Amino acid sequence: MSAAELHTATGAYVLHALPKQERARFERHLGACEACAQEVRELAATAARLGPAVAVAVPERMKEQVLHRIATVRQEPPRVPLRARVRSWRRALPGFALAACLVGAAGFGTVAVWQYEAAQDARSQALRERQRAAALDALLAAPDAEVAAGGLGGGLGSGARGTVIVSRAQDRAAFAASGLPELPARKVYQLWFADGEVMRPAGLLGGGGTGRLVLLDGRIDGATGMGVTVEPAGGSPHPTTEPLGLMEFPAQERAESPRA
């Protein structure tokens, strides 16, 4: 008899139907399980009430009538008392609870993984922002930092202006724009390093592209200027149109210089 089966042996115990060895084990179990002890007391009381019915004289032909009617009377399901149903559910509860816990754990595990990944993404994003802020501060504080400002021209209109800050020692550049036309939904301003006809991505201009100084992604690496295009949201690996605005870097940036 397993530990789980001990809880189902109350009826057999009350009716003295357990083998000697199992009966001894069940009696030890009763000392530690109040629920089974209570059920044994209740079943014993029920058996005591049913006992006197054996002494009642059975009417003649009762057995014959019962056997005859068995074939014609529909059997009804047993009517389980509320307390018995509660006890049944109580026994089943650990199994249901385990299943519920497993389902809950699976759901919680998914949420926990998602929360962990979201937290990791947030920490990574915060770290990148701190690194960009530190690089921008270093660029602005660089002794060789040069500033160039002027109109962007081209397809951005006469009111579009840009300011670029360049440090050869840092091999980095930053850019700020003003007067850029408002873009339609799902479009974004993208920056590019320009070295002759070669254009390579240098980041996106957020917030409509106006008034914010942004650090260009990547190193200058010989670029002589920068361009601005309008691209689909998220940017493009290559310009999808001719640059709408162009700016040259300060003259010193066109000279040969050491890598940072």
Side-chain angles (χ1 to χ4, degrees), residues 122-222:
R123 282 192 289 268
S124 298
Q125 178 65 24
L127 177 60
R128 288 192 294 269
E129 291 297 331
R130 288 196 296 270
Q131 291 173 339
R132 291 179 67 85
L136 183 58
D137 290 343
L139 169 62
L140 297 176
D144 68 329
E146 294 286 342
V147 179
L152 293 173
L156 296 176
S158 58
R161 298 184 61 82
T163 300
V164 65
I165 304 172
V166 177
S167 168
R168 175 56 61 182
Q170 299 289 329
D171 201 18
R172 302 301 296 266
F175 176 75
S178 62
L180 295 180
E182 185 175 350
L183 293 178
R186 300 183 180 180
K187 293 292 183 178
V188 66
Y189 286 110
Q190 185 165 353
L191 307 178
W192 306 86
F193 285 113
D195 190 2
E197 298 297 323
V198 179
M199 305 287 285
R200 50 189 171 86
L204 305 177
L205 275 178
T210 296
R212 181 187 175 193
L213 182 65
V214 296
L215 185 72
L216 272 64
D217 289 347
R219 303 290 178 174
I220 295 173
D221 196 24

Side-chain angles (χ1 to χ4, degrees), residues 63-79:
K63 180 179 180 181
E64 181 182 347
Q65 293 174 356
V66 169
L67 293 176
H68 174 72
R69 296 187 62 184
I70 282 176
T72 60
V73 177
R74 180 180 177 182
Q75 183 176 357
E76 295 183 359
R79 297 180 180 179

Side-chain angles (χ1 to χ4, degrees), residues 23-60:
R23 181 179 182 85
R25 185 182 177 192
F26 182 78
E27 287 177 343
R28 291 194 299 271
H29 169 73
L30 285 179
C33 182
E34 176 56 31
C36 285
Q38 176 66 25
E39 187 166 355
V40 165
R41 290 193 291 268
E42 293 173 354
L43 290 176
T46 302
R49 288 189 176 187
L50 293 176
V54 178
V56 177
V58 179
E60 293 183 4

